[in-house]
């Protein structure tokens, strides 16, 4: 994490010590291709890449599409390299690294290389300093100007080289699909009164990602014993360190009056936050009121509709 005590040094490096050059050779270790950059920039302040290995250690890129405002990065793209999974390293660990960050010029077929002015500059990663990079990586005016070639058809590509020095290159491709096909799951729950305290729907697939509906019939968290709780759950996050985005609606159908109850949310799902929704989706007194039409013959109909979803693929 970037420490506040490093702010003066970081700004100094950004303003006075950056060298920019171009080359044809792609980044050695990791690249992120973003195919829906405008949507990504509106959904997340900071995007963290998947974890990759270089030099026997694990790393990830941290991208601020509109700049790291806490470090005075407004008006720029901010890009950092962070070391991760350090809990098994010995006490007092230090890792010395020479790294370069990249953005691809799609018009000239060259990679703009950003690094310290001193090409042999070595950064020391340690327990109190696990992230290095550039708060003012590239001005947004330059990045958004199509004549520079960095953002073309809402697509861009960033990369990194990390030395200590092991070739384990991967490409992470991120795109966000709006209005995907087959985006609605309808879950008809018969014998609702016999449902367990926590129940999942069958799995359904939207744009190559897998999802389930999670329901607590008698509520959980601050909705316990007051409301039915309904969530969307990402199945991919159970086995992956990647994050998955969805904009979605959760709905309980009114089977009599057609006055359905629905709520909308946006969320980046992760292994630590694999489900997202509403603990107080519908008060139990309304759910159990026969005239409301939500529960008919002990049958409830739940729906999940995904309006936008991320697609993340890793390539060798």
């Amino acid at each position: 994490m970037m420490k506040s005590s490093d702010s003066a040094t970081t700004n100094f490096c950004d303003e006075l010590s950056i060298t920019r050059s171009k080359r044809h050779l792609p980044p050695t270790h990791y690249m992120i291709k973003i195919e829906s950059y405008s949507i990504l920039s509106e959904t997340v302040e900071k995007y963290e890449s998947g974890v990759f290995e270089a030099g026997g250690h694990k790393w990830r890129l941290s991208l601020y599409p509109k700049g790291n405002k806490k470090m005075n990065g407004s008006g720029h793209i901010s890009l950092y390299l962070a070391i991760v999974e350090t809990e098994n390293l010995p006490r007092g660990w230090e890792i010395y690294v020479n790294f370069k960050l990249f953005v691809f010029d799609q018009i000239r077929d060259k990679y703009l290389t950003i690094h310290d002015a001193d090409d042999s500059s070595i950064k020391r990663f340690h327990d109190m300093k696990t992230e290095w990079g550039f708060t003012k990586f590239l001005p947004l005016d330059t990045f958004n100007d199509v004549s520079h070639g960095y953002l073309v058809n809402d697509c861009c590509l960033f990369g990194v080289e990390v030395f200590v020095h092991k070739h384990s290159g991967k490409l992470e491709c991120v795109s966000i699909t709006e209005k995907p096909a087959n985006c609605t799951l309808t879950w008809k729950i018969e014998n609702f009164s016999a449902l367990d305290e926590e129940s999942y729907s069958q799995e359904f697939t939207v744009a190559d990602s897998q999802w389930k509906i999670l329901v607590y019939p008698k509520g959980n968290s601050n909705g316990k014993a007051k409301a039915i709780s309904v969530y969307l759950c990402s199945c991919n996050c159970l086995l992956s360190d990647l994050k998955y985005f969805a904009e979605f609606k959760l709905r309980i159908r009114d089977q009599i009056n057609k006055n359905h109850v629905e709520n909308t949310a946006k969320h980046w799902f992760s292994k630590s936050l694999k489900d997202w929704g509403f603990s107080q989706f519908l008060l139990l007194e309304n759910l159990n009121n026969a005239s409301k039409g939500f529960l008919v013959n002990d049958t409830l109909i739940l729906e999940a509709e995904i309006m936008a979803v991320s697609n993340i693929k890793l390539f060798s």
Side-chain angles (χ1 to χ4, degrees), residues 1-4 6 10 68 71 80 129 131-133 135:
M1 180 179 295
M2 189 74 70
K3 305 296 181 181
S4 59
D6 298 314
T10 302
N68 184 351
M71 299 295 293
Y80 305 95
K129 179 67 174 175
E131 185 174 89
W132 285 94
T135 300

Side-chain angles (χ1 to χ4, degrees), residues 39-77:
I39 300 175
L40 180 75
S41 66
E42 294 299 325
T43 61
V44 64
E45 179 183 358
K46 172 185 177 182
Y47 180 80
E48 294 181 323
S49 77
V51 175
F52 63 96
E53 182 172 332
H57 299 284
K58 301 291 183 67
W59 312 85
R60 69 169 14 125
L61 286 173
S62 295
L63 170 70
Y64 293 78
K66 294 185 177 180
N68 184 351
K69 296 178 177 60
K70 294 180 180 179
M71 299 295 293
N72 299 319
S74 297
H76 293 74
I77 288 174

Side-chain angles (χ1 to χ4, degrees), residues 169-275:
K170 289 184 178 180
L171 169 65
E172 177 180 328
C173 183
V174 184
S175 63
I176 296 178
T177 302
E178 294 182 301
K179 299 179 181 179
N182 304 315
C183 62
T184 301
L185 170 68
T186 299
W187 183 19
K188 185 176 182 179
I189 308 172
E190 299 176 339
N191 300 316
F192 178 77
S193 60
L195 208 62
D196 292 337
E197 290 187 4
E198 175 185 287
S199 294
Y200 289 87
S201 73
Q202 68 186 52
E203 187 176 294
F204 72 112
T205 299
V206 179
D208 297 326
S209 57
Q210 287 70 48
W211 307 88
K212 290 181 179 181
I213 300 173
L214 168 62
V215 61
Y216 293 83
K218 296 181 181 179
N220 80 319
S221 187
N222 59 358
K224 195 168 185 66
K226 295 187 297 185
I228 182 173
S229 303
V230 186
Y231 303 87
L232 182 67
C233 180
S234 168
C235 304
N236 301 80
C237 291
L238 297 174
L239 301 174
S240 174
D241 289 320
L242 296 173
K243 294 183 178 181
Y244 296 84
F245 170 77
E247 179 181 358
F248 60 94
K249 289 181 182 178
L250 295 171
R251 183 182 301 115
I252 295 180
R253 296 188 68 87
D254 175 354
Q255 302 171 58
I256 298 175
N257 310 300
K258 309 303 180 185
N259 294 322
H260 313 311
V261 173
E262 65 182 30
N263 287 296
T264 303
K266 298 178 182 180
H267 183 61
W268 281 90
F269 294 80
S270 64
K271 186 176 289 187
S272 60
L273 283 173
K274 64 182 182 298
D275 52 63

Side-chain angles (χ1 to χ4, degrees), residues 22 104-109 141-153:
K22 288 192 175 183
F104 185 49
D105 179 345
Q106 301 169 62
I107 294 176
R108 298 159 189 85
D109 194 31
D141 289 343
T142 301
F143 178 77
N144 291 321
D145 185 345
V146 70
S147 68
H148 291 287
Y150 304 125
L151 185 63
V152 177
N153 295 326

